[in-house]
Amino acid sequence: MEETIAGAENTQIAGRVPQQRGESLLETAVRYAEERHWDVFPGTWLEAVGGMQHCSCGDASCPAPGAHPARPDWATQATGSATVARRMWQRQPTASILLPTGRTFDALSVPESAGFLALARMERMELTLGPVTLAPDRRMQFFVLPGGAVKVPDLVRKIGWSLSSLDLVALGEGAYVAAPPTRFGSRGAVQWACRPTAANRWLPDAEELISPLAYACGRDR
């Protein structure tokens, strides 16, 4: 499931989670739980109707086709057990892989353009990053230690910004992110901008990333 942006990993050490392209969603979900100890849950999936890919939710105007929760009680369905994950995806092998935030990690979501600007700035600052995803909705999610989301408004104010003026969304308890290689309809698949590695198993605190992310979002307005 090597869904990684070319050139985005030149300073990272190869880890175990990313694999070859073509790995099944089932095996990928199992390895997220088994190797990374992330909770996972299956979301909606794509169905071919009249030669077109449609979301299993049945909404013709679904904003994230095949990449959102399939049931309202998804939070109780999420599991960190590889055995349970395997059983869930065996029931629906094409279900998207969703990761709840507020458990083993929170996520800071920013527009793609701001995300790449922040990544370049973080590299110059020699910051240690956690995994970072890039979704087809043109947003990037930076994984941080759980509990970081609730601190973001104060952290942003301390460096002179107003959170309402920035397109920076903190995802904590009750939210989720789509994991590679989940597809958003015909728009493409979620990729790793910074993939999970042995080096980034220990996540950064939100406080470590907030300055370059806020600066990049401010520049991106």
Side-chain angles (χ1 to χ4, degrees), residues 118 121-129 208-210 212:
R121 190 174 178 86
M122 290 171 185
E123 183 174 348
R124 292 194 298 271
M125 297 168 68
E126 298 184 346
L127 293 178
T128 301
L129 291 176
E208 300 174 61
L209 306 188
I210 202 65

Side-chain angles (χ1 to χ4, degrees), residues 17-144:
V17 170
Q19 273 285 3
Q20 70 277 6
R21 292 181 185 275
E23 184 178 47
S24 72
L25 288 160
L26 183 155
E27 292 301 331
T28 304
V30 166
R31 290 196 302 114
Y32 284 144
E34 192 169 59
E35 297 179 9
R36 205 70 183 187
H37 305 298
W38 288 339
D39 283 5
V40 298
F41 68 98
T44 53
W45 56 93
L46 296 172
E47 298 176 333
V49 180
M52 300 287 289
Q53 294 287 333
H54 292 272
C55 186
S56 62
C57 73
D59 182 355
S61 59
C62 179
H68 63 86
R71 43 194 282 184
D73 62 343
W74 62 263
T76 63
Q77 188 187 23
T79 180
S81 165
T83 301
V84 176
R86 182 177 297 278
R87 190 157 57 239
M88 289 194 294
W89 266 271
Q90 282 174 339
R91 289 197 291 265
Q92 182 48 254
T94 58
S96 53
I97 303 174
L98 305 180
L99 311 174
T101 51
R103 299 188 184 190
T104 50
F105 64 86
D106 284 1
L108 306 181
S109 176
V110 300
E112 173 188 315
S113 52
F116 279 117
L117 178 62
L119 281 175
R121 190 174 178 86
M122 290 171 185
E123 183 174 348
R124 292 194 298 271
M125 297 168 68
E126 298 184 346
L127 293 178
T128 301
L129 291 176
V132 181
T133 62
L134 171 61
D137 61 0
R138 303 185 70 86
R139 294 194 70 84
M140 296 176 75
Q141 290 77 35
F142 290 72
F143 290 20
V144 296

Side-chain angles (χ1 to χ4, degrees), residues 1-2 9 12-20 31 35-36 195-201:
M1 130 234 92
E2 183 71 34
E9 295 296 322
Q12 296 289 354
I13 300 170
R16 292 184 62 198
V17 170
Q19 273 285 3
Q20 70 277 6
R31 290 196 302 114
E35 297 179 9
R36 205 70 183 187
R195 63 185 181 180
T197 70
N200 65 20
R201 183 173 292 278

Side-chain angles (χ1 to χ4, degrees), residues 153-196:
D154 283 342
L155 292 173
V156 168
R157 279 195 295 270
K158 285 179 181 177
I159 57 175
W161 293 92
S162 165
L163 189 59
S164 61
S165 69
L166 302 175
D167 189 0
L168 192 163
V169 180
L171 303 173
E173 187 174 357
Y176 64 90
V177 298
T182 293
R183 298 193 66 83
F184 278 57
S186 61
R187 294 156 68 185
V190 183
Q191 302 177 67
W192 290 115
C194 291
R195 63 185 181 180

